[in-house]
Amino acid sequence: MMKNISLKHRLIIPIALLGIVALLSNILSIINIHNVNASAANIADNYMDGKSRLAQISQASMDIHKMALSHIVATDYNTMITLVQQIKTEESLLDGLLGEYEYHVTAKDQPLYESLLSNYASFKHALVYLVCASASHNPGRLCPGKWRCGLLCHCHEGRY
């Protein structure tokens, strides 16, 4: 049978087969590129935004912590009052960030998110006592403010 096929056709058949293999390979690579692009878009749209929200939450909580430490070393009440106002502002920002992050929480991560909220509530409660205790180094009356910490406190008196 090979004797009936001309030399020209004997050379074209392997080249044609290589061309078909190259075409199929390119088609499969284009399909794979589309799949990779779809996965990358999913990661960028869903997961990266959640990670950036977590970074913002972390930064906001560290800022609150630094302000609370600054409150401890503050020597005048105006500075203490300003720091308490800044802490409350940053807490409201952090509350908003935590609410926005809930959109990114999957059912699998829901217990971790609930733990995060519980830890944040404990953090806020500890801040109240820390701020009141650091402001109570001078005699005064019991805390009449919104925080009602029961400690001697001037820092947020009548301002909340």
Side-chain angles (χ1 to χ4, degrees), residues 51-104:
K51 297 288 184 190
S52 66
R53 295 278 183 207
L54 277 176
Q56 290 172 341
I57 289 169
S58 175
Q59 185 61 48
S61 62
M62 285 189 292
D63 290 344
I64 291 171
H65 185 258
K66 287 179 194 174
M67 286 184 254
L69 293 176
S70 296
H71 189 277
I72 291 172
V73 297
T75 57
D76 64 288
Y77 289 120
N78 289 331
T79 304
M80 289 181 180
I81 291 169
T82 303
L83 286 169
V84 168
Q85 290 169 345
Q86 290 173 348
I87 288 171
K88 294 309 273 179
T89 302
E90 195 70 22
E91 279 181 350
S92 65
L93 172 72
L94 187 53
D95 288 336
L97 288 172
L98 285 167
E100 292 172 7
Y101 181 69
E102 186 174 14
Y103 168 76
H104 300 285

